[in-house]
């Protein structure tokens, strides 16, 4: 169900030809990145499939990553998993992002008002990453966890940011190969272009089971002082609760919250 | 292959610099600490930057960690047995004491915070997940160190006091005394090393085979956590540590997965 589209995206990155030293560094990064919230433990064969690297290469890289303390072997399953230093790194990154602190009070209010799970999402290289989560009264037990990545075109927050993204980045994103995350993920690029038009008009984006079955979300972009999309705030909940009327109310709420955060960051509405 | 793995190792050493130093680093900093030519460091950094693992600040030109490895790091946390077991007990401890409650585990010479639940008091101790403190210079770390062997104590004490240029026999002895005290009572109740306005109550917990796994602690302002409450606080923290130990044992027995737990 979870397509590993990230691996494909990484293929876009070019290293100088013949530079095997740097490509091995890049491959080590790919190996580390194949450990996701939904795949916490992986064997050599699985990593080889996900990264499309030969098993022998993966084997050597995993040995180095383990020796350096970045991965550890689960002695019971015989598979590998991320080790403590990666946790330390992720926490230090999340802690540093000032935005989370600035956005927190507004997001708490939104969680109260909507009753749903509220999240903050950043865009990077064609993907969105959730960096803050606040559970509402009806909190979901899904993998809507901090740190999870998904392709931007599948996520409401991704589409919200795509709708106001600069042309160059958007072209780059549309040039990437798109893969469905669930059977409902819309990977029809022309249809998504049209959807972005609508998002620009109504000020919020939606997603129905495009990332997790049974889950829908509504998102709006947060702008920085230069009017660039810096992040997106989103509300996620059971798709059964996101009916037409509710959707409008939620859309308005999310848009209002995003605007408040944007103003707080120095964004001038007129620009 | 030898050289390619050397470059992988060097790039991992770069990442470790960011974990250890918790700050931005310049190309020169990185090359110096790595002991390589700037050009070598630059090529490694550029590769890591392309992968989103490092990020370059356009204004200062300095590097920080990017978002690239946040997901694998969070995967460690979400799927960690100890975190899953401890979370509920820490929340209960927070409810009982109304102070920040957390869990530390040892990692080399440091203690790393795996889970932390913060009180809503305006004046409070902020212990964040993923933060580290030296075993020798934090109350929680001392609690872990106390259950290790004495040769380890001396090595840590000497290294710490020498690094702070304050090595004296008196200091060495007083630290040994503190560790002995913690070991004999089974808990620590002291003001913090880096902030005397904070007091910490910490208690270790062990694996079924008696191996130290970590420590449970509560930290708050000394005015709220005063000596008159020592008994109650110690009872609450000790109980939490015991419950976590018992829950781990149960987990191990039910699934015979001892090795999965630290």
């Amino acid at each position: 169900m979870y397509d590993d589209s990230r691996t494909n995206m990484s293929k876009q990155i070019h290293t100088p030809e013949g530079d095997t030293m740097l490509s091995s560094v890049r491959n080590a990064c790919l190996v580390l990145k194949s450990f996701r919230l939904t795949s916490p433990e992986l064997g050599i064969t699985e990593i080889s499939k996900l990264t499309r690297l030969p098993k022998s290469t993966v084997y050597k890289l995993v040995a180095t990553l383990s020796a350096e303390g970045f991965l550890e072997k689960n002695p019971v399953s015989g598979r590998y998993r991320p080790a403590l230093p990666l946790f330390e790194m992720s926490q230090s990154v999340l802690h540093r992002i000032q935005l989370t602190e600035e956005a927190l009070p507004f997001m708490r209010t939104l969680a109260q008002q909507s009753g749903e799970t509220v999240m903050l999402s950043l865009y990077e290289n064609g993907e969105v990453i959730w960096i803050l989560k606040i559970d509402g009264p009806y909190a979901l037990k899904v993998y809507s966890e901090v740190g999870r990545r998904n392709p931007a075109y599948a996520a409401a927050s991704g589409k919200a940011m795509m709708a106001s993204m600069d042309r160059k980045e958007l072209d780059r994103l549309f040039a990437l190969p798109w893969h469905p995350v669930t059977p409902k993920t819309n990977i029809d690029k022309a249809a998504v272009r049209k959807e972005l038009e609508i998002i620009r008009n109504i000020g919020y984006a939606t997603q129905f089971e495009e990332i997790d079955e049974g889950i829908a979300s509504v998102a709006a972009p947060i702008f920085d002082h230069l009017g660039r999309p810096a992040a997106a705030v989103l509300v996620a909940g059971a798709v059964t609760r996101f009916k037409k009327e509710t959707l409008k109310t939620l859309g308005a709420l999310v848009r209002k919250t995003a605007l408040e955060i944007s103003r707080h960051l120095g964004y001038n509405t007129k620009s | 292959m030898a050289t390619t793995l050397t470059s992988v190792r060097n790039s991992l050493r770069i990442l470790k610099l960011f974990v250890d130093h918790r700050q931005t680093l310049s190309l020169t900093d990185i090359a110096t600490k790595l002991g390589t030519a700037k050009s070598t460091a630059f090529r490694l950094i550029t590769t890591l930057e392309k992968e989103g693992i490092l990020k370059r600040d356009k204004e200062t030109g300095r590097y920080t960690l990017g978002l690239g490895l946040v997901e694998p790091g969070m995967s460690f946390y979400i799927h960690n047995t100890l975190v899953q077991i401890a979370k509920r007990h820490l929340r209960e401890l927070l409810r009982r004491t109304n102070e920040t409650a957390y869990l530390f585990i040892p990692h080399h010479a440091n203690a790393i915070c795996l889970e932390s639940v913060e009180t809503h008091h305006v004046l409070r101790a902020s212990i964040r997940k993923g933060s580290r403190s030296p075993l020798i210079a934090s109350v929680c770390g001392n609690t872990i160190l106390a259950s290790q062997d004495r040769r380890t104590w001396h090595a840590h004490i000497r290294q710490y006091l020498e690094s702070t240029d304050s090595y004296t026999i008196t200091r060495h002895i007083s630290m040994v005394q503190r560790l002995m005290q913690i070991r004999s009572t089974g808990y620590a109740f002291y003001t913090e090393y880096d902030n005397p306005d904070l007091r910490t109550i910490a208690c270790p917990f062990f694996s079924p085979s008696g191996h130290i796994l970590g420590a449970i602690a509560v930290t708050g302002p000394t005015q709220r956590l005063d000596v008159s409450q020592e008994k109650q606080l110690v009872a609450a923290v000790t109980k939490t540590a015991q419950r976590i130990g018992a829950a781990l044992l149960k987990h191990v027995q039910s699934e015979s997965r001892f090795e999965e737990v630290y």
Side-chain angles (χ1 to χ4, degrees):
Chain A
M1 162 175 168
Y2 300 101
D3 180 86
D4 198 81
S5 43
R6 189 213 55 256
T7 312
N8 299 311
M9 287 188 183
S10 309
K11 290 238 184 306
Q12 295 293 309
I13 294 156
H14 302 287
T15 48
E17 264 188 24
D19 202 339
T20 52
M21 265 166 51
L22 293 188
S23 72
S24 71
V25 172
R26 199 195 65 141
N27 290 342
C29 295
L30 288 181
V31 169
L32 285 176
K33 285 186 193 172
S34 47
F35 293 90
R36 312 192 63 165
L37 292 178
T38 46
S39 52
E41 273 194 12
L42 297 169
I44 302 285
T45 314
E46 289 164 294
I47 300 173
S48 161
K49 265 189 201 146
L50 287 168
T51 56
R52 295 177 198 174
L53 294 170
K55 265 197 194 178
S56 59
T57 309
V58 170
Y59 184 82
K60 280 174 192 152
L61 289 170
V62 165
T64 308
L65 288 165
S66 305
E68 295 295 320
F70 283 76
L71 293 180
E72 62 189 15
K73 194 175 186 173
N74 177 342
V76 176
S77 65
R79 302 198 299 172
Y80 293 85
R81 61 188 176 196
L84 197 57
L86 284 167
F87 169 64
E88 284 187 85
M89 280 171 66
S90 67
Q91 288 303 307
S92 108
V93 173
L94 292 171
H95 187 73
R96 207 195 49 235
I97 302 171
Q98 186 98 38
L99 187 62
T100 55
E101 235 159 80
E102 309 271 352
L104 194 61
F106 299 100
M107 291 177 61
R108 283 216 178 101
T109 311
L110 181 59
Q112 281 298 322
Q113 290 172 339
S114 66
E116 305 284 358
T117 298
V118 173
M119 288 191 277
L120 190 67
S121 174
L122 293 186
Y123 172 87
E124 193 181 71
N125 292 331
E127 292 182 303
V128 286
I129 176 164
W130 293 325
I131 58 162
L132 181 65
K133 175 188 162 193
I134 295 163
D135 287 326
Y138 308 125
L140 294 166
K141 205 66 211 139
V142 288
Y143 269 121
S144 55
E145 293 290 353
V146 165
R148 186 169 164 201
R149 282 170 178 271
N150 271 297
Y153 50 82
S157 59
K159 289 189 267 191
M161 287 186 269
M162 283 166 75
S164 41
M165 197 174 268
D166 74 71
R167 191 59 191 270
K168 224 173 105 190
E169 183 57 33
L170 197 62
D171 286 346
R172 207 180 80 83
L173 217 167
F174 270 97
L176 294 173
W178 289 11
H179 303 273
V181 183
T182 71
K184 298 213 171 146
T185 310
N186 183 6
I187 53 163
D188 176 347
K189 290 179 179 172
V192 171
R193 274 195 200 275
K194 271 187 199 150
E195 198 182 338
L196 295 184
E197 276 302 321
I198 299 168
I199 296 166
R200 277 179 210 117
N201 285 327
I202 61 175
Y204 63 87
T206 55
Q207 163 279 122
F208 298 90
E209 304 187 271
E210 289 194 60
I211 289 183
D212 288 297
E213 275 171 45
I215 305 297
S217 55
V218 181
I222 295 169
F223 298 101
D224 65 10
H225 62 291
L226 296 172
R228 297 173 300 198
V233 62
L234 70 111
V235 160
V239 69
T240 46
R241 283 201 298 273
F242 283 49
K243 293 279 160 51
K244 214 172 184 184
E245 279 315 302
T246 333
L247 207 61
K248 268 191 183 163
T249 321
L250 283 178
L253 264 178
V254 171
R255 205 176 55 198
K256 186 174 135 261
T257 307
L259 191 61
E260 283 168 351
I261 300 170
S262 304
R263 286 202 181 120
H264 189 72
L265 297 175
Y267 169 65
N268 185 342
T269 335
K270 280 182 207 141
S271 58
Chain B
M1 202 65 195
T3 51
T4 62
L5 287 181
T6 305
S7 60
V8 171
R9 261 196 298 275
N10 276 336
S11 63
L12 296 175
R13 281 176 59 209
I14 294 178
L15 297 184
K16 281 186 191 164
L17 291 178
F18 285 94
V19 180
D20 291 343
H21 297 276
R22 313 253 153 174
Q23 56 182 3
T24 63
L25 295 169
S26 70
L27 171 60
T28 315
D29 293 338
I30 296 170
T32 311
K33 287 190 190 342
L34 212 59
T36 64
K38 260 194 188 179
S39 57
T40 311
F42 182 72
R43 293 198 308 159
L44 293 171
I45 292 168
T46 314
T47 311
L48 293 169
E49 195 190 345
K50 275 185 192 153
E51 290 296 322
I53 290 170
L54 291 185
K55 201 176 153 188
R56 183 175 178 272
D57 185 306
K58 284 183 190 110
E59 277 151 40
T60 62
R62 295 172 71 86
Y63 295 90
T64 51
L65 289 172
L67 294 168
L69 291 182
V70 169
E71 183 164 8
M74 288 309 287
S75 176
F76 167 91
Y77 168 77
I78 302 282
H79 299 283
N80 185 279
T81 311
L82 192 50
V83 172
Q84 282 170 354
I85 287 174
K87 220 173 219 173
R88 189 166 61 86
H89 297 285
L90 288 174
R91 280 200 210 104
E92 174 62 25
L93 184 58
L94 164 66
R95 262 197 298 279
R96 291 185 56 167
T97 61
N98 222 348
E99 297 293 349
T100 300
Y102 53 97
L103 158 72
F104 264 87
I105 58 161
H107 186 65
H108 304 306
N110 294 299
I112 316 265
C113 178
L114 267 198
E115 182 60 290
S116 167
V117 287
E118 276 192 24
T119 171
H120 286 302
H121 281 300
V122 179
L123 187 64
R124 62 166 186 263
S126 182
I127 315 278
R128 63 178 185 84
K129 275 183 282 192
S131 63
R132 57 157 80 168
S133 351
L135 288 180
I136 191 66
S138 62
V139 178
C140 209
N142 285 177
T143 313
I144 292 169
L145 191 57
S147 50
Q148 295 176 349
D149 66 79
R150 290 192 181 219
R151 268 176 58 195
T152 316
W153 294 8
H154 292 301
H156 279 277
I157 295 171
R158 184 169 292 277
Q159 197 182 21
Y160 171 68
L161 290 178
E162 280 173 358
S163 72
T164 54
D165 277 329
S166 59
Y167 187 83
T168 62
I169 290 295
T170 333
R171 282 205 176 90
H172 195 125
I173 291 170
S174 79
M175 287 188 130
V176 169
Q177 280 170 342
R178 171 181 284 205
L179 294 174
M180 280 169 65
Q181 166 111 27
I182 296 172
R183 184 181 256 186
S184 70
T185 59
Y187 68 87
F189 185 84
Y190 297 106
T191 53
E192 268 308 335
Y193 285 77
D194 55 357
N195 187 347
D197 297 329
L198 293 177
R199 183 171 276 127
T200 297
I201 299 93
C203 180
F205 62 98
F206 302 89
S207 73
S209 58
H211 172 72
I212 176 91
L213 291 177
I216 301 298
V218 160
T219 298
T222 46
Q223 66 227 54
R224 287 204 300 266
L225 297 183
D226 62 40
V227 183
S228 71
Q229 298 183 56
E230 179 170 346
K231 243 188 181 161
Q232 286 164 285
L233 289 165
V234 167
V237 176
T238 316
K239 200 165 206 172
T240 308
Q242 282 165 354
R243 281 182 179 157
I244 292 174
L248 278 172
L249 180 61
K250 208 172 145 194
H251 174 85
V252 169
Q253 287 170 338
S254 67
E255 313 198 19
S256 56
R257 320 171 87 160
F258 172 67
E259 290 83 356
E260 276 188 34
V261 181
Y262 273 48

